[in-house]
Amino acid sequence: MAEVHYYTVHEVKTILEEESKQRELSQLAKSTLTYLQKLNTIKSKEIRKMVNELMEVVNIDEKLAVKIADVMPQFPEEVRAIFQKIRNYKDDDIEKVLSIVKKYL
């Protein structure tokens, strides 16, 4: 089975920007890039650092860490909504997530 890798929206934006320098993008790719350029402008290197930090400090998988990076929650309720169906969590985990996200805002 092939290894699955998850990309944040910021990483996808960077990939599409690089591809647009190499070739003409499809209409769908152009529309996607336009949409992503309107989102938060955190660099994909910083986002990946945040994802790795979340996986290490909060002990969550890459899929959940990427979801947190995409949402950039700022309130405990937002983190609870992300955690709700995925895993059991502790209040301490919520505080750790908020602390890490705050560093990258």
Side-chain angles (χ1 to χ4, degrees):
M1 185 172 179
E3 183 179 335
V4 176
H5 184 74
Y6 298 94
Y7 294 93
T8 67
V9 293
H10 304 290
E11 289 171 321
V12 172
K13 180 183 120 195
T14 300
I15 291 167
L16 287 174
E17 287 172 341
E18 291 301 316
E19 278 295 309
S20 71
K21 294 175 185 175
Q22 305 297 320
R23 64 181 176 86
E24 182 72 21
L25 296 176
S26 70
Q27 188 57 44
L28 178 60
K30 285 180 187 177
S31 297
T32 302
L33 180 57
T34 300
Y35 171 75
L36 294 175
Q37 287 172 331
K38 294 177 184 177
L39 295 176
N40 199 332
T41 58
I42 296 174
K43 294 181 179 168
S44 61
K45 289 179 185 177
E46 293 296 309
I47 286 293
R48 186 47 56 178
K49 282 171 51 178
M50 184 173 84
V51 167
N52 291 336
E53 188 174 348
L54 285 164
M55 289 172 18
E56 183 179 318
V57 173
V58 188
N59 195 28
I60 56 178
D61 64 14
E62 184 183 26
K63 182 178 180 179
L64 185 55
V66 165
K67 176 56 72 183
I68 291 167
D70 286 345
V71 174
M72 298 294 283
Q74 297 179 35
F75 302 100
E77 296 78 19
E78 295 170 317
V79 179
R80 281 189 197 96
I82 294 168
F83 279 175
Q84 185 177 9
K85 292 186 179 181
I86 298 173
R87 70 180 196 108
N88 293 328
Y89 60 87
K90 303 173 194 144
D91 288 337
D92 185 47
D93 292 335
I94 292 172
E95 293 306 316
K96 288 177 185 177
V97 167
L98 292 173
S99 174
I100 292 168
V101 168
K102 186 176 181 177
K103 290 191 322 188
Y104 293 90
L105 286 176

